[in-house]
Amino acid sequence: MRKFLAALILIFSPVLALADEITIAALGDSLTQGYGLPPEEGLVPQLQAWLDGQGAGVHLLNAGVSGDTTAGGAARVGWTLTPEVDAMIVALGGNDLLRGIDPAEARRNLDTILKAAQEAHVPVLLIGMRAPGNYGPDYKAAFEANYADLAQAYGTLFLPDYFAGLGEGDPAALQRWFQPDGIHLNAEGVAKIVAAIGPTVLDLAARARAD
């Protein structure tokens, strides 16, 4: 009988593991999409490999669109949140900064995204962007505050700076983690970002399982 029960466990354990798998959509721009990198070296594939190494039971969906602003994310969040999506990573705002978009407009768009996730009962990890100083201190403060304020309002998991995993120091020294355009990360830079955000993605998966 013990051998029979053991055989049943071996047969059905893959099915049980599949049933417990969490699907997380990564809603973002070219940094999420993997611009300029071989498919296996982008953010989503590297993060998937990291999660697999942790035995996380997570399947990532790449919902990154190169060039997308927060407005683009707001426009497509509805069809990103398909029934199989259990949680969502939101990493948008870099293109808003490149275009100097009004922080109030970016805030409205992020609010739309988070509200859609809340209505779908999908937990979120919101990843912020640090604004450069060339737009002035008021712009910088307002833009960065969007993320912290909305994360608190919606009770999301929150990382204030997408690039924090690269470390502090001389900006010129950090360029070794970027492609020649100085905007998009190279494979080694992506790996550092994955190592920094991975533990919080595990927390996100845990939230999704608890819901």
Side-chain angles (χ1 to χ4, degrees):
M1 177 62 70
R2 284 198 299 271
K3 290 181 180 180
F4 176 72
L5 291 174
L8 285 178
I9 291 171
L10 288 173
I11 291 169
F12 289 107
S13 58
V15 177
L16 293 172
L18 184 62
D20 194 41
E21 185 177 69
I22 294 297
T23 296
I24 300 177
L27 183 68
D29 50 32
S30 56
L31 295 172
T32 300
Q33 180 264 334
Y35 177 87
L37 295 171
E40 69 276 8
E41 293 182 355
L43 176 73
V44 172
Q46 288 206 45
L47 181 56
Q48 181 71 70
W50 188 94
L51 292 166
D52 291 346
Q54 302 295 313
V58 170
H59 173 60
L60 290 178
L61 297 177
N62 192 338
V65 173
S66 186
D68 233 359
T69 61
T70 55
R76 60 192 177 88
V77 66
W79 54 264
T80 300
L81 290 168
T82 54
E84 68 267 23
V85 171
D86 302 298
M88 186 166 64
I89 300 167
V90 178
L92 286 161
N95 288 308
D96 296 65
L97 290 171
L98 289 174
R99 301 178 190 185
I101 290 173
D102 186 344
E105 181 180 342
R107 185 186 188 94
R108 286 191 294 271
N109 295 330
L110 290 169
D111 184 75
T112 296
I113 293 168
L114 296 180
K115 183 177 292 183
Q118 183 182 67
E119 290 173 352
H121 305 288
V122 169
V124 170
L125 165 58
L126 180 62
I127 303 179
M129 289 282 174
R130 295 295 191 194
N134 55 301
Y135 294 126
D138 292 342
Y139 182 101
K140 179 176 174 64
F143 194 93
E144 293 177 3
N146 285 341
Y147 297 98
D149 292 348
L150 289 170
Q152 182 175 18
Y154 283 93
T156 75
L157 291 168
F158 177 51
L159 294 172
D161 182 8
Y162 180 92
F163 293 105
L166 301 181
E168 301 290 339
D170 181 5
L174 298 180
Q175 285 302 304
R176 60 180 166 156
W177 308 119
F178 287 84
Q179 297 176 42
D181 63 11
I183 296 173
H184 299 97
L185 294 164
N186 58 31
E188 292 77 15
V190 171
K192 291 180 73 66
I193 300 302
V194 165
I197 71 173
T200 311
V201 178
L202 289 176
D203 293 341
L204 179 64
R207 280 198 180 190
R209 286 191 170 93
D211 283 354

